[in-house]
Amino acid sequence: MTQRTHANRRHPVAQMYAEEFKAGQIDRREFLARTTALGLTAAAAYTLGGLGAPAQAAGHAQRGGTIRMQSEVRAHKDPRTYDWTQMAYVTHGVIEYLIEYNSDGTFRGMLLEGWEANEDATQFTLKVRQGIKWNNGDDFTAEDVARNIERWCDKAVEGNSMAARMASLVDEATSKARDGAIQVVDSHTVLLTASQPDITLIPGMADYPAAIVHSSYDPTADLSTLVGTGPMKISSNEVGVKAVIEKSGHEWWGDAALEGGGWFIDTLEIIDYGQDPAAWVAAAEAEEVDVFYETVGDFIDIMDGLGWQNSNIATGSTIVIRPNQLAEDGDGNKIYGDKRVRQALAMAVNNDVCLELGYASRGVGADNCHVGPVHPEHDASVGRLPYDPAKAKALMDEAGMGDFEHEVQSIDDDWRKNTTAAVVAQLNDAGIKARHTILPGSTFWNDWTKYAFSSTNWNHRPLGTQVLALAYKSGEAWNEFGFANEEFDTLLAQANSIADADARREVMAKMQAILIDEGVTIQPYWRSLYRHSAPSIVGAEMHIAYLPQAYKWSVAG
Amino acid sequence: MGRFILRRTGVLILTALCLTFIVFLLTNLYPNLEKLAKSEGNFRMADHEVATFLSNNGYRSALDPDFLAKVRSGQATDEEIEAGINTGFDARIFRNYGEWLGIVPGYVIEGTDGTTRARCATPGMDIADAPSFCGILQGYWGWSTVFKDEAGSIIGTRLALTGKLMFWVMLLMVPSALIIGVLAGMREGSATDRSLSTVSITTTATPEYVSGVLFIAVFASSAVGLKWFKGTATSAMDNATFENFFLPVLTIALYGMGYIARMTRASMAEVMTAHYVRTARLKGVSFRNIVLKHALRNALIAPFTVIMLQFPWLLNGVVIVETLFNYKGFGWVLVQAAGNNDIELLMGVSVVSVFVVLVTQLISDIGYVYLNPRISVT
């Protein structure tokens, strides 16, 4: 998880300063400077000193300055057809988002003040934040929101990936938004009616292609004239070279509406240093950049060595090393049909060892259920089967598989191969015979769902139910586990109609327990993403889904 | 002399025509166009969609409408589709080349999707306002598909940046090469000669991609810890300082320096054994005066040609050095254009390269005449 300052922990000296301040021995400015230097947040310092909080609570971040970020600079295109998050970094200071997805798995209303779902998650009422203006002076209203959602639903547009996210609002026959799916109730309320329970609609609106554009938007127009609700303007976007985003003078609604405000910096420069991380390091050493887009592999250690701040976040990207329950041996017997065999495999493997050997400890351990702390509905109280090699061997013998040699397939790469090797080694250590077969990438994916026992990598998705629906539901195309469980399917359908994460957690706990008890898979760890920033930069944290949030960044004075 | 220049200009134009046509032919090979279509359109396009995209955008001849209707209705088999799409030679390439030159009117095609596209209408321009001819002759260099900008302005900006790099390279390389060459050549076989020759052979035998990496590692990274210079020249594009610009300049300069120094040395050594130098020495002229007044001018004739020929070589070297130091000049544009099959940008780059090569040769020929009165070009 991202490191945070402990706002509640109060330095003892701060209390002393507060008394001196109240006694008139030091002045207000000095008091604030000293206490915040001790690690108190501005808000806490104001409270401690008995001061009224400032109208705009922007105390913790200094305004002004320029941040230079290393990132690819790509050509602009219609946001709904964005296929690189880097494109959104250039525009996110101008065209903004309805909802923000944060690294702790929560969603926060931005241009929307809030939203409500009905009982079975088929109707969503979007409350548009009032008082927001476009930078050309127009009011931002429910009409704008409805028009943008209609744009997203247009499947006929080449490369419009938002249409898939809005699938439950789209009419298959016309490839456009279904009649009545999007209704403007009043000037600040929009009602969405989905064709089926769909809790992924809201997360879909927080993704990077979901930027809200003005009715006059023209993808081919000069980017410096882009109309949006944000306080920035794009002064230049030179593909492959550099993009410059500057304050436009338009007042930002977020300063009043969001706690702490935002857009502290005056200028964000995005400089393209090509694909080679060695060039990024050279740029960092030359003090030409302040923030990386992402730090990868061995360069994480190099950048740590340079004294840059390391921001890392465990994601929902992971690897599963799973038996396929439908796989048959030469005699037509299902090798992994017996639950005890699968449990034995999971119990023989220490997940932390897989993380250390397979991914250089760049992640956090997982509990073999493919739902984790990053997912809002994850129930942390449901843990894995205990690591117990002796009992694993006993279970395997009991199931009559004591002499069977397991063949584990993996792709020929770096981390997936190493993680699989760690599993195989631990199985052998536990006395369960296993061997590792490495397949080249060109052939591995042909049959990836059908191997008897193999490893697969899975990408991050905001909700826990999303990947369960893709990979664990009976009969799904990507169900590589051969897992078919009626109770699980029923629970999944139930969870998918509960929009509230806390209420959904009760159902999720049961699903997690089923996956673990059935020994469906070994899922050893969640991978972390890394970003480095120069010591003078505040708040440039890595985002779990690479989403652009430069409004949180500032330069320390 | 006038006729000579005229003749050389004729050769220049002819060479440029041949070379650009070859580049045009290669970039318009069907697999390259298919790649372009998929990166411009989308990566999941079927074969017939690629073909219609290419004909709608004027790259290839239009498909037979009956065939297209049949494919779209799903009646055509895979073999029929394969046979119906011409992936080989298309005579349209000659017309396209003519359009690029500006001697054939630019296409105006009403696409199968109902949109009309014109070569001469840049994005955002009304088709009715577009001129009928738009080629290199009209000063229009085309549209870059990678950078979404006019190829002419991209080449202009990037060439200026490379010009800046070249200027400093020349300023460092030429004087130091000449000094090393003259010092080594005036006493052939001496210890000075041997040591300077070793240095020049070493520098010229070390390619830029080796010396550049070494320089970055030694002088710019915290691995060695010297950190005298910057290991990237990106900021030098706007604001070149000694700190951020010296390493790329040195990397290119060293490579050419050894070569010129060797040439100068050979030429100097030859002049020093000439009869008139021996005579001057017998008459008691000081060594210093022999070198400076009698030998130097004659010894510089050969290096002059070599220096001129260095310009095309430098264009070669900047591709590596600009990529290595992230200096976004002409070499970088060449890499980007070639990597993305950006036809019109690549054509523009070729024109400029041909021009630089032939013009420097012309200058070296003319200069040679002035330096050496015994040679006549007419």
Side-chain angles (χ1 to χ4, degrees):
Chain A
M1 300 301 288
T2 20
Q3 276 109 40
R4 287 193 186 75
T5 49
H6 299 278
N8 300 327
R9 215 186 57 208
R10 192 175 285 174
H11 200 286
V13 181
Q15 194 62 48
M16 186 186 83
Y17 284 149
E19 281 156 23
E20 283 178 10
F21 169 62
K22 283 171 187 161
Q25 288 164 329
I26 52 174
D27 66 14
R28 176 179 171 276
R29 183 185 297 273
E30 197 179 357
F31 163 70
L32 286 175
R34 284 189 190 181
T35 48
T36 50
L38 288 172
L40 253 69
T41 62
Y46 276 100
T47 321
L48 184 65
L51 294 160
Q56 287 187 349
H60 73 282
Q62 187 159 325
R63 290 201 173 257
T66 298
I67 292 184
R68 300 158 302 172
M69 179 190 184
Q70 166 279 324
S71 164
E72 275 175 79
V73 178
R74 296 184 162 267
H76 175 73
K77 53 181 179 176
D78 192 335
R80 58 187 161 163
T81 66
Y82 277 0
D83 41 11
W84 293 85
T85 330
Q86 286 92 332
M87 297 172 171
Y89 269 83
V90 175
T91 52
H92 82 293
V94 186
I95 46 175
E96 300 181 299
Y97 296 84
L98 293 180
I99 296 162
E100 168 182 276
Y101 174 45
N102 281 308
S103 289
D104 57 2
T106 58
F107 292 89
R108 163 160 100 152
M110 295 298 276
L111 295 176
L112 291 187
E113 204 165 39
W115 59 91
E116 273 165 29
N118 67 346
E119 278 293 293
D120 59 350
T122 50
Q123 279 202 336
F124 293 85
T125 315
L126 310 182
K127 301 257 183 236
V128 179
R129 200 180 287 281
Q130 297 183 50
I132 298 178
K133 283 197 182 297
W134 295 92
N135 60 12
N136 66 355
D138 294 354
D139 282 326
F140 176 75
T141 64
E143 292 288 342
D144 291 310
V145 175
R147 194 191 61 250
N148 271 283
I149 299 176
E150 259 164 52
R151 268 172 57 83
W152 298 341
C153 291
D154 193 347
K155 260 174 93 172
V157 172
E158 203 63 78
N160 175 10
S161 68
M162 284 307 292
R165 294 180 179 86
M166 298 292 125
S168 60
L169 301 178
V170 176
D171 185 345
E172 285 298 325
T174 61
S175 293
K176 301 241 187 248
R178 208 161 15 80
D179 276 339
I182 306 162
Q183 286 171 294
V184 178
V185 179
D186 57 48
S187 70
H188 56 274
T189 313
V190 178
L191 181 69
L192 302 179
T193 312
S195 53
Q196 65 203 50
D198 187 0
I199 53 173
T200 63
L201 210 54
I202 295 293
M205 291 182 191
D207 219 346
Y208 66 92
I212 297 294
V213 296
H214 189 249
S215 54
S216 66
Y217 174 68
D218 170 14
T220 59
D222 188 358
L223 264 187
S224 59
T225 61
L226 184 64
V227 178
T229 49
M232 311 298 273
K233 66 168 190 275
I234 303 161
S235 343
S236 76
N237 185 48
E238 231 179 317
V239 179
V241 183
K242 191 178 187 180
V244 181
I245 297 110
E246 287 176 311
K247 277 273 165 71
S248 66
H250 178 63
E251 201 183 327
W252 194 44
W253 56 268
D255 282 332
L258 303 177
E259 192 196 341
W263 284 113
F264 307 111
I265 49 171
D266 289 337
T267 313
L268 175 66
E269 289 181 7
I270 301 175
I271 309 172
D272 195 326
Y273 282 89
Q275 309 279 352
D276 181 8
W280 312 344
V281 175
E285 295 211 88
E287 292 169 6
E288 286 189 359
V289 294
D290 306 309
V291 178
F292 278 4
Y293 176 75
E294 183 187 8
T295 324
V296 288
D298 295 337
F299 291 92
I300 296 167
D301 294 334
I302 295 176
M303 292 313 295
D304 283 342
L306 286 182
W308 275 36
Q309 308 175 75
N310 175 333
S311 162
N312 59 75
I313 175 83
T315 66
S317 308
T318 184
I319 182 170
V320 297
I321 302 102
R322 87 314 178 260
N324 187 318
Q325 303 180 14
L326 304 174
E328 293 174 355
D329 62 9
D331 308 327
N333 301 320
K334 289 199 168 70
I335 312 171
Y336 300 108
D338 190 332
K339 177 168 134 180
R340 286 171 301 179
V341 176
R342 303 193 301 262
Q343 284 180 336
L345 294 174
M347 286 168 72
V349 175
N350 181 347
N351 289 351
D352 293 335
V353 172
C354 296
L355 174 59
E356 189 186 341
L357 297 180
Y359 206 58
S361 296
R362 291 182 184 125
V364 296
D367 278 335
N368 298 340
C369 61
H370 215 151
V371 184
V374 293
H375 298 120
E377 67 271 62
H378 173 244
D379 188 337
S381 65
V382 183
R384 57 161 293 179
L385 292 174
Y387 166 61
D388 188 346
K391 197 173 169 207
K393 174 67 180 161
L395 262 178
M396 193 63 92
D397 290 340
E398 191 188 316
M401 295 278 284
D403 297 327
F404 183 81
E405 187 182 30
H406 303 267
E407 185 191 12
V408 194
Q409 326 248 14
S410 86
I411 197 168
D412 186 12
D413 81 328
D414 180 32
W415 64 280
R416 283 170 283 187
K417 184 180 74 187
N418 294 346
T419 309
T420 313
V423 169
V424 171
Q426 292 189 70
L427 288 178
N428 281 317
D429 288 349
I432 300 168
K433 270 192 274 178
R435 72 188 140 97
H436 186 186
T437 306
I438 300 165
L439 299 171
S442 49
T443 60
F444 179 83
W445 295 113
N446 296 340
D447 290 314
W448 66 276
T449 57
K450 299 205 179 66
Y451 298 121
F453 195 0
S454 71
S455 61
T456 314
N457 59 308
W458 283 88
N459 288 339
H460 171 79
R461 285 171 181 82
L463 301 185
T465 51
Q466 285 175 294
V467 80
L468 296 187
L470 266 177
Y472 295 84
K473 200 172 145 191
S474 312
E476 280 295 317
W478 284 2
N479 187 334
E480 55 172 325
F481 311 90
F483 178 59
N485 184 314
E486 215 171 300
E487 190 192 352
F488 180 84
D489 291 349
T490 320
L491 288 169
L492 184 63
Q494 196 187 337
N496 269 330
S497 61
I498 308 174
D500 178 46
D502 291 325
R504 199 159 67 233
R505 187 170 301 120
E506 289 170 26
V507 185
M508 183 54 88
K510 292 182 200 157
M511 287 198 280
Q512 285 173 242
I514 292 176
L515 288 174
I516 292 168
D517 183 57
E518 286 285 323
V520 175
T521 183
I522 300 168
Q523 186 244 330
Y525 56 83
W526 303 104
R527 300 162 68 196
S528 288
L529 299 175
Y530 290 79
R531 165 179 286 169
H532 280 87
S533 55
S536 61
I537 304 300
V538 181
E541 305 285 352
M542 188 57 183
H543 189 276
I544 193 163
Y546 300 98
L547 295 186
Q549 298 185 346
Y551 78 90
K552 292 176 177 172
W553 303 359
S554 64
V555 186
Chain B
M1 181 58 87
R3 270 183 69 186
F4 169 73
I5 294 176
L6 216 62
R7 208 168 60 225
R8 290 303 290 265
T9 316
V11 172
L12 192 155
I13 291 168
L14 202 66
T15 319
L17 279 178
C18 294
L19 193 102
T20 50
F21 187 70
I22 293 170
V23 174
F24 200 73
L25 208 63
L26 292 177
T27 49
N28 277 284
L29 290 177
Y30 199 80
N32 285 338
L33 288 180
E34 194 176 342
K35 189 177 141 201
L36 181 77
K38 286 186 172 172
S39 60
E40 287 299 291
N42 84 62
F43 282 95
R44 293 181 301 277
M45 283 204 277
D47 288 347
H48 72 278
E49 289 172 321
V50 170
T52 47
F53 176 91
L54 292 175
S55 59
N56 285 347
N57 286 282
Y59 292 105
R60 305 281 289 190
S61 302
L63 286 179
D64 179 19
D66 295 339
F67 167 72
L68 196 61
K70 196 175 167 194
V71 174
R72 286 194 170 158
S73 61
Q75 287 167 343
T77 61
D78 287 352
E79 289 79 25
E80 279 176 324
I81 296 176
E82 202 174 315
I85 297 170
N86 171 22
T87 57
F89 176 76
D90 187 338
R92 199 191 151 88
I93 191 166
F94 294 110
R95 195 188 141 182
N96 283 349
Y97 186 66
E99 287 177 8
W100 176 78
L101 279 177
I103 50 174
V104 176
Y107 66 77
V108 179
I109 296 173
E110 194 187 332
T112 46
D113 53 355
T115 329
T116 308
R117 295 177 183 83
R119 175 187 154 80
C120 301
T122 49
M125 190 195 274
D126 191 1
I127 300 223
D129 299 338
S132 52
F133 289 89
C134 54
I136 213 93
L137 290 177
Q138 284 79 26
Y140 177 73
W141 291 63
W143 184 260
S144 160
T145 51
V146 186
F147 296 105
K148 312 283 176 208
D149 199 357
E150 284 188 22
S153 73
I154 295 171
I155 292 175
T157 349
R158 301 299 150 202
L159 203 57
L161 286 170
T162 296
K164 184 162 94 176
L165 181 62
M166 292 258 207
F167 172 78
W168 289 106
V169 167
M170 284 292 172
L171 209 66
L172 176 70
M173 179 175 78
V174 174
S176 44
L178 291 181
I179 291 169
I180 292 176
V182 169
L183 285 178
M186 64 191 189
R187 282 189 217 271
E188 201 184 357
S190 66
T192 328
D193 178 26
R194 293 289 171 236
S195 48
L196 287 177
S197 294
T198 309
V199 171
S200 5
I201 291 171
T202 313
T203 62
T204 205
T206 315
E208 284 106 336
Y209 51 84
V210 175
S211 52
V213 171
L214 281 179
F215 288 149
I216 294 179
V218 175
F219 297 117
S221 78
S222 41
V224 174
L226 287 177
K227 295 192 94 169
W228 291 345
F229 305 107
K230 309 272 190 200
T232 165
T234 309
S235 60
M237 292 190 286
D238 303 323
N239 174 28
T241 61
F242 182 66
E243 210 182 13
N244 63 24
F245 212 36
F246 184 66
L247 281 190
V249 169
L250 184 71
T251 308
I252 307 180
L254 272 188
Y255 183 62
M257 195 165 78
Y259 187 59
I260 301 176
R262 291 291 291 162
M263 285 296 174
T264 317
R265 178 195 166 274
S267 168
M268 187 71 189
E270 194 190 319
V271 171
M272 288 302 280
T273 58
H275 294 301
Y276 76 94
V277 172
R278 199 194 307 168
T279 314
R281 195 176 277 185
L282 288 173
K283 285 170 79 179
V285 182
S286 73
F287 185 72
R288 181 191 155 84
N289 274 346
I290 289 175
V291 171
L292 289 179
K293 289 193 175 156
H294 301 279
L296 202 54
R297 181 174 163 174
N298 285 333
L300 287 184
I301 296 174
F304 176 75
T305 328
V306 179
I307 291 168
M308 276 322 197
L309 286 176
Q310 279 295 317
F311 277 99
W313 276 112
L314 285 182
L315 275 188
N316 202 342
V318 292
V319 172
I320 294 157
V321 170
E322 286 183 358
T323 309
L324 194 61
F325 287 92
N326 259 289
Y327 185 79
K328 274 133 199 196
F330 190 67
W332 175 78
V333 164
L334 173 60
V335 172
Q336 295 295 318
N340 296 291
N341 201 47
D342 191 338
I343 297 174
E344 294 190 321
L345 189 58
L346 210 49
M347 296 292 285
V349 169
S350 325
V351 173
V352 173
S353 307
V354 171
F355 186 78
V356 170
V357 173
L358 297 178
V359 164
T360 48
Q361 279 190 355
L362 184 67
I363 296 174
S364 94
D365 284 350
I366 296 169
Y368 208 74
V369 175
Y370 281 104
L371 282 172
N372 191 346
R374 281 175 298 182
I375 289 185
S376 160
V377 286
T378 40

